[in-house]
Amino acid sequence: MPKLRIIVGCMAGFSLLAAGLRVRAQPPHGVAFYDADCLYDTVPSPFGNDTRYLPQGEMRWTGERYRRKVMQTAAVIDSLGLPLVGLYGVENESVVRDVAAACKGDYAYLFRTTDSYNGLDFALFYFGDRFFPDRVEAGHFWMTAAGELRGAGRVCLLMSASDRYIGYKIEEHRRQHPDERLLVAGRTAGAEPQRCGLSEPLAAASRAGRGTRRAGNRWEMRSNVLIDTAFHVVRGDVYARRWLFDPSGEAPWATYTRRRYEGGPGANLPVFCYFR
């Protein structure tokens, strides 16, 4: 009997070790955010002011230029390859549908109109077998999507295009939905992450001088990601690939420089974070 107990005890210990290894081997979750930098269609809008981005407007925004930017935006989303990719700077759902159709990845999407003065809104591209949304809300310069993220429990992604309102929106969410783990993406300079239970995965990248948009001779972290401290951050950074840069290799490849058409994906780089 003593030998049997030893064997059973060893097997139980091995089982626990194997289970622990399986947990550690699980791939991390991932979220990304990309400011698509004025992805308008070519049709006059009855709501936002899009007169500059029409075929007869000052930008000469033609169907060919529109299709090129749609393909470039889809290529960015596919290259990121993450289960949650927040997108800002799309004019309407028709644009989002075109981007989704151009994606090679099997992405579903969520879209809401935010009634912004420039007519630009948010969309969330997600893998339907990883994220199961059940609440989507939007307002002036923000959008939230809440649901079950497989393996991570209930989460809410809050996307922001304004540093001014983000702090208030975070605090409001904490009060109204304390059961949801919060992910924040976009403009976050007005937030107080530590006070709100959020970590800053891109802080090291910012200190190192990296950023998402070029401003003269320096980089600015115009887009950011904040992660609920209930999660462990594996890695967060700016997503920089050679094909996202202009021929000089020093700045993101802009679609326009002032009114001159350059033909690039846009003046912003994406950001991303892996977490468990």
Side-chain angles (χ1 to χ4, degrees):
M1 286 298 292
K3 290 183 179 180
L4 179 61
R5 283 197 296 271
I6 291 172
I7 292 172
V8 171
C10 288
M11 291 184 69
F14 178 78
S15 298
L16 290 172
L17 176 61
L21 289 173
R22 283 196 300 272
V23 169
R24 286 194 291 273
Q26 289 177 352
H29 309 289
V31 60
F33 183 84
Y34 181 48
D35 183 340
D37 192 19
C38 301
L39 182 43
Y40 291 96
D41 64 15
T42 61
V43 181
S45 171
F47 305 109
N49 182 8
D50 64 350
T51 55
R52 296 174 69 225
Y53 285 87
L54 293 173
Q56 299 78 28
E58 63 178 302
M59 296 301 196
R60 297 294 186 265
W61 188 237
T62 64
E64 181 181 352
R65 292 179 177 184
Y66 168 71
R67 287 187 291 273
R68 176 181 171 86
K69 190 169 176 76
V70 164
M71 295 300 294
Q72 291 169 325
T73 304
V76 172
I77 295 170
D78 280 330
S79 182
L80 287 162
L82 294 177
L84 297 171
V85 180
L87 191 66
Y88 176 69
V90 290
E91 184 178 13
N92 51 47
E93 188 170 4
S94 176
V95 171
V96 177
R97 277 199 304 269
D98 287 345
V99 173
C103 284
K104 296 179 180 177
D106 191 18
Y107 278 101
Y109 72 83
L110 297 170
F111 172 83
R112 291 294 184 276
T113 298
T114 61
D115 297 324
S116 61
Y117 67 87
N118 59 8
L120 296 176
D121 295 312
F122 295 94
L124 174 63
F125 286 74
Y126 66 97
F127 291 143
D129 61 345
R130 297 284 300 277
F131 182 57
F132 307 94
D134 56 34
R135 189 184 77 250
V136 183
E137 299 173 328
H140 197 53
F141 290 117
W142 61 271
M143 173 178 163
T144 58
E148 194 77 13
L149 181 61
R150 178 170 289 175
R154 185 164 181 80
V155 303
C156 178
L157 174 62
L158 166 59
M159 295 182 285
S160 169
S162 170
D163 293 325
R164 181 178 179 182
Y165 303 108
I166 184 62
Y168 167 76
K169 290 305 300 180
I170 290 172
E171 293 180 2
E172 180 184 61
H173 178 272
R174 289 300 200 195
R175 290 194 306 270
Q176 295 180 356
H177 306 283
D179 60 319
E180 294 176 351
R181 296 178 176 182
L182 186 60
L183 314 173
V184 182
R187 301 291 292 268
T188 67
E192 298 180 65
Q194 293 183 348
R195 190 173 69 83
C196 297
L198 298 167
S199 61
E200 301 178 78
L202 274 66
S206 183
R207 288 194 298 269
R210 295 195 289 279
T212 60
R213 191 179 181 98
R214 195 75 173 170
N217 294 324
R218 64 187 181 87
W219 286 94
E220 290 183 348
M221 195 70 77
R222 292 282 297 273
S223 297
N224 197 10
V225 175
L226 305 176
I227 302 293
D228 199 301
T229 54
F231 291 119
H232 168 70
V233 171
V234 177
R235 184 190 175 201
D237 211 331
V238 178
Y239 188 75
R241 293 294 182 270
R242 181 65 189 87
W243 55 275
L244 292 173
F245 284 76
D246 64 18
S248 74
E250 296 179 356
W253 188 8
T255 308
Y256 284 92
T257 300
R258 295 183 176 89
R259 287 182 293 179
R260 186 180 67 202
Y261 180 68
E262 303 287 354
N268 306 296
L269 295 176
V271 288
F272 70 94
C273 179
Y274 291 102
F275 59 94
R276 287 193 171 94

